[in-house]
Amino acid sequence: MNDSVGDPGVRGCSPWDDPARFIVVPAAYALALGLELLANVAGLAVFVRSSRRLGQALRLYLLNLALADVLFTLTLPLWLTYYLGPAHWPFPEAACRAAGAAYYVATYAAVAFAALISLCRCGSVRGPRPRASCRIVLRRRGPARAAGAAAWLAGLACASPSLAAQHALHPGSGGAARCLDHRWARAGLAYATVAFFAAAFLLVLAAYVSLARTLTAPSGPGPVPAGPHRRAARTMVLGLLLVFALCLAPYHLLLAPWVAGREGAAGSDDVGCRAASTLDVLHALSLALLSLNSCLDPLIYCFSVRRFRQDCWALGCRPGLGARGAHAGSLTS
């Protein structure tokens, strides 16, 4: 996740200036920190109180997605301090391990819950009598809890290398301490995380295609009417698909080439070192995009979850408008 560009030699390569790491990434983290925390805490509070309107499985998945986004946001102050160092970890090694593990747990748990939400919304729209297996997995409380636990375990598995690394901190130039730099990342881990993301992305894509076909399929004299519930389901899955494509896909497309380039940089010529340095810059930019995915999830809630905005107002997200927003929402419903 965090590497040591700018050190006097990266496995035999000469140093290469990397302004993206110390300008773009901190700016993205600061923006994400300012927008994400309040919005996702509000979403978490809404989903805790909205058990009567949302289906049990959907509410559980949305609540856990908001919780993963909050956990991700809580790691940003540490990484922001690290990049503003620049690239010096002033905290203990245990904090480095914990921050790296929380970063990965939150990221990949959110990926898994996005896939579960997409499948759940697809199953609720495909007709009054979906397949029994889909109904059991997507709509009942017990299987939904098991799927949620599996999502967190998948995130923990993706975070295990940061916990198991022999040395989380490594010396850098000028006495700096590098936290989880390139030496802990290996190609096997990169391929596994990319495969996990690709499977989740394909599930979200398939759910959206299935929803789109269902809403446009002929039923009698005309197409199936796209009521509010169907439109909200399609909007939610489309929003999750865009988050995957815009924020998560660039990081995972570059992860395996970046790790391979770092491992093969030893003894490389100038062309090879230049290519590795270019991948470093692109990797840093993809980290900035990755940090913004939690900013977009609350926007998806606003446009695809019934009465989400009114419930936020009622919770005091907009002081003075709580009673009026709740009253207007009750009249609308």
Side-chain angles (χ1 to χ4, degrees):
M1 179 170 57
N2 306 299
D3 47 67
S4 53
V5 171
D7 289 347
V10 177
R11 295 205 174 192
C13 288
S14 58
W16 195 82
D17 189 18
D18 187 0
R21 182 169 323 284
F22 306 120
I23 298 176
V24 177
V25 175
Y29 282 180
L31 177 63
L33 183 62
L35 296 177
E36 288 176 8
L37 186 59
L38 181 60
N40 284 298
V41 168
L44 193 62
V46 168
F47 297 140
V48 168
R49 298 180 57 181
S50 60
S51 58
R52 294 183 179 180
R53 290 195 312 278
L54 295 173
Q56 293 178 349
L58 179 61
R59 171 180 171 267
L60 178 65
Y61 299 149
L62 288 170
L63 192 152
N64 278 276
L65 177 59
L67 181 62
D69 288 339
V70 170
L71 177 61
F72 180 88
T73 307
L74 292 178
T75 68
L76 293 182
L78 297 176
W79 296 118
L80 186 60
T81 303
Y82 175 68
Y83 280 110
L84 291 175
H88 169 66
W89 187 261
F91 309 108
E93 184 176 12
C96 171
R97 293 181 185 275
Y103 188 98
Y104 278 104
V105 168
T107 297
Y108 290 100
V111 167
F113 282 113
L116 290 173
I117 290 168
S118 300
L119 294 176
C120 185
R121 297 303 275 164
C122 180
S124 67
V125 171
R126 282 187 57 85
R129 293 182 179 179
R131 295 179 180 177
S133 59
C134 295
R135 181 169 65 249
I136 291 174
V137 172
L138 299 176
R139 308 301 296 276
R140 293 185 179 180
R141 180 183 301 179
R145 289 179 175 176
W152 284 109
L153 288 176
L156 184 61
C158 293
S160 58
S162 63
L163 295 173
Q166 293 183 354
H167 301 287
L169 295 180
H170 295 275
S173 61
R178 302 285 189 253
C179 176
L180 295 176
D181 66 7
H182 68 281
R183 279 165 285 193
W184 77 278
R186 293 295 181 266
L189 170 66
Y191 296 146
T193 53
V194 170
F196 179 78
F197 167 78
F201 179 81
L202 291 176
L203 286 175
V204 176
L205 179 61
Y208 178 74
V209 171
S210 179
L211 275 172
R213 293 180 61 182
T214 299
L215 296 183
T216 57
S219 177
V224 177
H229 170 71
R230 293 171 176 266
R231 289 197 301 268
R234 181 173 58 184
T235 300
M236 178 176 288
V237 178
L238 176 60
L240 293 173
L241 184 62
L242 290 176
V243 169
F244 270 56
L246 298 178
C247 298
L248 298 171
Y251 172 80
H252 290 90
L253 287 174
L254 290 168
L255 183 59
W258 172 72
V259 172
R262 304 291 289 184
E263 291 183 346
S268 297
D269 54 12
D270 292 340
V271 176
C273 290
R274 192 71 177 181
S277 298
T278 302
L279 284 173
D280 279 325
V281 176
L282 295 176
H283 176 74
L285 295 176
S286 70
L287 279 175
L289 288 176
L290 181 68
S291 67
L292 299 179
N293 83 90
S294 298
C295 296
L296 300 180
D297 288 340
L299 292 178
I300 297 173
Y301 309 150
C302 286
F303 292 101
S304 61
V305 177
R306 179 171 171 257
R307 286 188 58 193
F308 180 83
R309 284 169 287 183
Q310 289 88 343
D311 287 344
C312 276
W313 294 338
L315 287 172
C317 294
R318 293 180 61 179
L321 294 179
R324 185 173 65 184
H327 178 63
S330 63
L331 292 178
T332 302
S333 63

